[in-house]
Amino acid sequence: MSAFHLAQINTARLKAPLDDPSMAEFVTGLTLMNELADRSPGFVWRLVGEDGDGTIAEDADPLRIYTMSVWESPEHLRAYAYQSEHLDYLRRRREWFHPNGPEAALVMWWLPAGEQPTLKEGIARLDRLRADGPTPEGFTFRDPFPAPISVAR
Amino acid sequence: MTTSEDLDDLDALTTLADGVRRRAYRVVADGAGPVGRDEVAEALGIGRTLAAFHLDKLVAAGLLATSYARRSGRTGPGAGRPAKLYHLAPAEHAVSVPPRAYRTAAELLAEALDETGAENVLNEVARRHGQRAAADKTAHGQRTATGESEDVQELLTGHGYAPTAAGHPDRIELRNCPFHRLAEQFPPVICGMNLAMINGLLAGAGLDAAWTARMDAAPGRCCVSLSKTKTD
């Protein structure tokens, strides 16, 4: 077992509030995709919001949502995100989300196994990626960084 | 970016200039899984030693890769020595003379579409392209589609998808993604485009009533699969 796990946070800006009829299919998909994540190989943890749907809205901008999760490796996250039913929801994202423009919408980083990231930390890492580009503190699938070398105890 | 300056790629491709070797490559590419030298020898009607010679040349060129497994499925003492098996290497090779960088252009275009959220336009263009490509072929004297699995497979083979019946007459899986590298970099954009194009191909060939394409992402194959539409 690796001593490090991979955390990710991603964000989207909704075209309408989650209780709007135009968002109904997205909300249904949220439950299905969370259940799929929970039973996916390499899944470790995900942030569960007050509504229990896994999306966290920003206080200042309720249409800005975040999801955050921890996986054993980038390969496990990739398999869930892009090689499962989840890809079909991603394909339809323009029905529900505004485009992100040049801003990164997803950032990954390594954290010691057993630790849980906080939303504040995740947003800070997203900001850092946007400001400085990929670093070991926050990177993307296109510019990945390897896990830190585990020191034998 | 790969251009004619990358002579290693040119080496890899010239390895396929030999007709027997090219046929050996096709046998491996068409296989549902890793293929042994005996199967290649039999398919080509050549000896096992010659088949192994050509297969190993393809490995040395980086076009094929090897693994070892007991073909009998038995394990333990008496199960025999593991056989050397061949499968396609994941690397891609392209040479352009003079140098052209269409892959870089495609990456830039995909990134721009991603940023602006213009996938709807891309999908409509892809669907039209597919429809026109299939309709042109039908107009050029190819046999009329009857809705059989073979018709869909022939259509998709012509566009590089390496379709397979996947053990079921009403279902087709695609072993090759013609946009593989781009699809890995921009999955929602490129996979959505791919689905739209396949839908266009089916429509252009008059097969869209009998067959349905849908997103069906899984490791190791194209993100789209097709199933026969229930008619009863």
Side-chain angles (χ1 to χ4, degrees), chain A residues 69-81:
Chain A
S69 55
V70 176
W71 298 78
E72 285 177 23
S73 74
E75 291 72 31
H76 286 108
L77 173 59
R78 177 182 278 278
Y80 164 69

Side-chain angles (χ1 to χ4, degrees), chain A residues 1 9 23 40 48 58 62 68 78 80-81 98 104-105 107 111 114 124-126 129 139 143 150 153:
Chain A
M1 277 303 265
I9 186 168
M23 302 299 284
S40 288
V48 179
E58 204 169 79
M68 193 160 66
R78 177 182 278 278
Y80 164 69
H98 290 291
V107 66
L111 84 173
R125 298 213 185 231
L126 203 50
L129 173 70
F139 48 88
D143 297 290
S150 307
R153 314 167 188 223

Side-chain angles (χ1 to χ4, degrees), chain B residues 186-219:
Chain B
F186 306 94
V189 176
I190 301 302
C191 298
M193 175 196 82
N194 188 45
L195 175 64
M197 199 178 91
I198 291 175
N199 273 321
L201 286 169
L202 288 174
L207 289 161
D208 52 333
W211 287 82
T212 305
R214 64 177 184 93
M215 292 294 276
D216 182 20

Side-chain angles (χ1 to χ4, degrees), chain B residues 90-114:
Chain B
E92 298 172 7
H93 305 273
V95 176
S96 174
V97 185
R100 298 290 184 260
Y102 299 116
R103 187 185 286 156
T104 303
E107 288 170 6
L108 297 177
L109 293 170
E111 191 162 343
L113 277 163
D114 195 27

